[in-house]
PDB file of all heavy atoms in Angstrom:
ATOM      1  N   GLN A 125       2.638   4.678  -5.593  1.00  0.00           N
ATOM      2  CA  GLN A 125       1.557   4.754  -6.434  1.00  0.00           C
ATOM      3  C   GLN A 125       1.097   3.417  -6.944  1.00  0.00           C
ATOM      4  O   GLN A 125      -0.024   3.249  -7.410  1.00  0.00           O
ATOM      5  CB  GLN A 125       2.002   5.615  -7.598  1.00  0.00           C
ATOM      6  CG  GLN A 125       1.967   7.087  -7.270  1.00  0.00           C
ATOM      7  CD  GLN A 125       2.256   8.055  -8.375  1.00  0.00           C
ATOM      8  OE1 GLN A 125       3.058   7.702  -9.278  1.00  0.00           O
ATOM      9  NE2 GLN A 125       1.892   9.230  -8.354  1.00  0.00           N
ATOM     10  N   SER A 126       1.968   2.360  -6.836  1.00  0.00           N
ATOM     11  CA  SER A 126       1.553   1.038  -7.219  1.00  0.00           C
ATOM     12  C   SER A 126       0.621   0.306  -6.198  1.00  0.00           C
ATOM     13  O   SER A 126       0.153  -0.748  -6.443  1.00  0.00           O
ATOM     14  CB  SER A 126       2.775   0.211  -7.578  1.00  0.00           C
ATOM     15  OG  SER A 126       3.428  -0.200  -6.336  1.00  0.00           O
ATOM     16  N   VAL A 127       0.651   0.946  -4.906  1.00  0.00           N
ATOM     17  CA  VAL A 127      -0.172   0.301  -3.890  1.00  0.00           C
ATOM     18  C   VAL A 127      -1.711   0.527  -4.358  1.00  0.00           C
ATOM     19  O   VAL A 127      -2.113   1.589  -4.820  1.00  0.00           O
ATOM     20  CB  VAL A 127      -0.111   1.035  -2.596  1.00  0.00           C
ATOM     21  CG1 VAL A 127      -0.903   0.445  -1.581  1.00  0.00           C
ATOM     22  CG2 VAL A 127       1.427   0.745  -2.208  1.00  0.00           C
ATOM     23  N   ASP A 128      -2.423  -0.596  -4.323  1.00  0.00           N
ATOM     24  CA  ASP A 128      -3.802  -0.581  -4.788  1.00  0.00           C
ATOM     25  C   ASP A 128      -4.572   0.547  -4.130  1.00  0.00           C
ATOM     26  O   ASP A 128      -4.494   0.657  -2.898  1.00  0.00           O
ATOM     27  CB  ASP A 128      -4.406  -1.888  -4.371  1.00  0.00           C
ATOM     28  CG  ASP A 128      -5.716  -2.100  -5.130  1.00  0.00           C
ATOM     29  OD1 ASP A 128      -5.699  -2.533  -6.267  1.00  0.00           O
ATOM     30  OD2 ASP A 128      -6.750  -1.947  -4.345  1.00  0.00           O
ATOM     31  N   ARG A 129      -5.430   1.165  -4.968  1.00  0.00           N
ATOM     32  CA  ARG A 129      -6.198   2.315  -4.486  1.00  0.00           C
ATOM     33  C   ARG A 129      -7.175   1.890  -3.375  1.00  0.00           C
ATOM     34  O   ARG A 129      -7.438   2.699  -2.412  1.00  0.00           O
ATOM     35  CB  ARG A 129      -6.972   2.753  -5.719  1.00  0.00           C
ATOM     36  CG  ARG A 129      -8.124   3.656  -5.540  1.00  0.00           C
ATOM     37  CD  ARG A 129      -7.764   5.108  -5.594  1.00  0.00           C
ATOM     38  NE  ARG A 129      -8.509   5.754  -4.674  1.00  0.00           N
ATOM     39  CZ  ARG A 129      -8.300   6.975  -4.290  1.00  0.00           C
ATOM     40  NH1 ARG A 129      -7.207   7.650  -4.665  1.00  0.00           N
ATOM     41  NH2 ARG A 129      -9.088   7.660  -3.433  1.00  0.00           N
ATOM     42  N   GLY A 130      -7.629   0.565  -3.462  1.00  0.00           N
ATOM     43  CA  GLY A 130      -8.435   0.021  -2.386  1.00  0.00           C
ATOM     44  C   GLY A 130      -7.947   0.116  -0.998  1.00  0.00           C
ATOM     45  O   GLY A 130      -8.514   0.175  -0.003  1.00  0.00           O
ATOM     46  N   GLN A 131      -6.536   0.189  -0.882  1.00  0.00           N
ATOM     47  CA  GLN A 131      -5.912   0.098   0.438  1.00  0.00           C
ATOM     48  C   GLN A 131      -6.097   1.523   1.102  1.00  0.00           C
ATOM     49  O   GLN A 131      -6.420   1.509   2.286  1.00  0.00           O
ATOM     50  CB  GLN A 131      -4.329  -0.054   0.233  1.00  0.00           C
ATOM     51  CG  GLN A 131      -4.008  -1.373  -0.162  1.00  0.00           C
ATOM     52  CD  GLN A 131      -4.107  -2.437   0.834  1.00  0.00           C
ATOM     53  OE1 GLN A 131      -3.508  -2.297   2.026  1.00  0.00           O
ATOM     54  NE2 GLN A 131      -4.866  -3.457   0.712  1.00  0.00           N
ATOM     55  N   LEU A 132      -6.121   2.527   0.275  1.00  0.00           N
ATOM     56  CA  LEU A 132      -6.399   3.869   0.846  1.00  0.00           C
ATOM     57  C   LEU A 132      -7.919   3.961   1.239  1.00  0.00           C
ATOM     58  O   LEU A 132      -8.288   4.533   2.295  1.00  0.00           O
ATOM     59  CB  LEU A 132      -6.029   5.040  -0.116  1.00  0.00           C
ATOM     60  CG  LEU A 132      -6.193   6.472   0.382  1.00  0.00           C
ATOM     61  CD1 LEU A 132      -5.368   6.695   1.457  1.00  0.00           C
ATOM     62  CD2 LEU A 132      -5.737   7.483  -0.816  1.00  0.00           C
ATOM     63  N   ASP A 133      -8.757   3.382   0.383  1.00  0.00           N
ATOM     64  CA  ASP A 133     -10.268   3.382   0.672  1.00  0.00           C
ATOM     65  C   ASP A 133     -10.367   2.734   2.069  1.00  0.00           C
ATOM     66  O   ASP A 133     -11.203   3.151   2.864  1.00  0.00           O
ATOM     67  CB  ASP A 133     -10.955   2.681  -0.366  1.00  0.00           C
ATOM     68  CG  ASP A 133     -11.292   3.540  -1.547  1.00  0.00           C
ATOM     69  OD1 ASP A 133     -11.081   4.731  -1.380  1.00  0.00           O
ATOM     70  OD2 ASP A 133     -11.670   2.940  -2.586  1.00  0.00           O
ATOM     71  N   ALA A 134      -9.681   1.461   2.221  1.00  0.00           N
ATOM     72  CA  ALA A 134      -9.863   0.822   3.482  1.00  0.00           C
ATOM     73  C   ALA A 134      -9.445   1.561   4.712  1.00  0.00           C
ATOM     74  O   ALA A 134     -10.141   1.555   5.619  1.00  0.00           O
ATOM     75  CB  ALA A 134      -9.123  -0.576   3.310  1.00  0.00           C
ATOM     76  N   CYS A 135      -8.400   2.295   4.547  1.00  0.00           N
ATOM     77  CA  CYS A 135      -7.779   3.016   5.650  1.00  0.00           C
ATOM     78  C   CYS A 135      -8.749   4.179   5.919  1.00  0.00           C
ATOM     79  O   CYS A 135      -9.055   4.393   7.214  1.00  0.00           O
ATOM     80  CB  CYS A 135      -6.452   3.735   5.296  1.00  0.00           C
ATOM     81  SG  CYS A 135      -5.129   2.598   5.058  1.00  0.00           S
ATOM     82  N   ARG A 136      -9.261   4.824   4.929  1.00  0.00           N
ATOM     83  CA  ARG A 136     -10.179   5.962   5.226  1.00  0.00           C
ATOM     84  C   ARG A 136     -11.519   5.398   5.892  1.00  0.00           C
ATOM     85  O   ARG A 136     -12.068   5.932   6.736  1.00  0.00           O
ATOM     86  CB  ARG A 136     -10.500   6.676   3.989  1.00  0.00           C
ATOM     87  CG  ARG A 136      -9.240   7.470   3.488  1.00  0.00           C
ATOM     88  CD  ARG A 136      -9.498   7.993   2.075  1.00  0.00           C
ATOM     89  NE  ARG A 136     -10.419   9.082   2.044  1.00  0.00           N
ATOM     90  CZ  ARG A 136     -11.167   9.536   1.035  1.00  0.00           C
ATOM     91  NH1 ARG A 136     -11.140   8.748  -0.065  1.00  0.00           N
ATOM     92  NH2 ARG A 136     -12.027  10.491   1.232  1.00  0.00           N
ATOM     93  N   ALA A 137     -11.979   4.214   5.401  1.00  0.00           N
ATOM     94  CA  ALA A 137     -13.187   3.601   5.887  1.00  0.00           C
ATOM     95  C   ALA A 137     -12.958   3.183   7.333  1.00  0.00           C
ATOM     96  O   ALA A 137     -13.998   3.148   8.099  1.00  0.00           O
ATOM     97  CB  ALA A 137     -13.628   2.444   5.071  1.00  0.00           C
ATOM     98  N   LEU A 138     -11.679   2.994   7.682  1.00  0.00           N
ATOM     99  CA  LEU A 138     -11.436   2.795   9.209  1.00  0.00           C
ATOM    100  C   LEU A 138     -11.155   4.011  10.001  1.00  0.00           C
ATOM    101  O   LEU A 138     -10.603   3.902  10.948  1.00  0.00           O
ATOM    102  CB  LEU A 138     -10.156   1.789   9.185  1.00  0.00           C
ATOM    103  CG  LEU A 138     -10.559   0.290   8.787  1.00  0.00           C
ATOM    104  CD1 LEU A 138      -9.210  -0.438   8.655  1.00  0.00           C
ATOM    105  CD2 LEU A 138     -11.462  -0.362   9.852  1.00  0.00           C
ATOM    106  N   SER A 139     -11.478   5.069   9.425  1.00  0.00           N
ATOM    107  CA  SER A 139     -11.358   6.344   9.973  1.00  0.00           C
ATOM    108  C   SER A 139      -9.949   6.928  10.173  1.00  0.00           C
ATOM    109  O   SER A 139      -9.722   7.710  11.104  1.00  0.00           O
ATOM    110  CB  SER A 139     -12.344   6.533  11.163  1.00  0.00           C
ATOM    111  OG  SER A 139     -11.792   6.138  12.306  1.00  0.00           O
ATOM    112  N   MET A 140      -9.110   6.440   9.397  1.00  0.00           N
ATOM    113  CA  MET A 140      -7.781   7.007   9.515  1.00  0.00           C
ATOM    114  C   MET A 140      -7.717   8.232   8.628  1.00  0.00           C
ATOM    115  O   MET A 140      -8.357   8.267   7.682  1.00  0.00           O
ATOM    116  CB  MET A 140      -6.647   6.163   8.699  1.00  0.00           C
ATOM    117  CG  MET A 140      -6.404   4.812   9.616  1.00  0.00           C
ATOM    118  SD  MET A 140      -5.218   3.892   8.737  1.00  0.00           S
ATOM    119  CE  MET A 140      -5.543   2.254   9.373  1.00  0.00           C
TER     120      MET A 140
END
Side-chain angles (χ1 to χ4, degrees):
Q125 286 181 328
S126 75
V127 175
D128 192 80
R129 168 89 212 167
Q131 294 286 303
L132 186 59
D133 279 348
C135 292
R136 293 171 70 209
L138 286 167
S139 86
M140 291 183 205

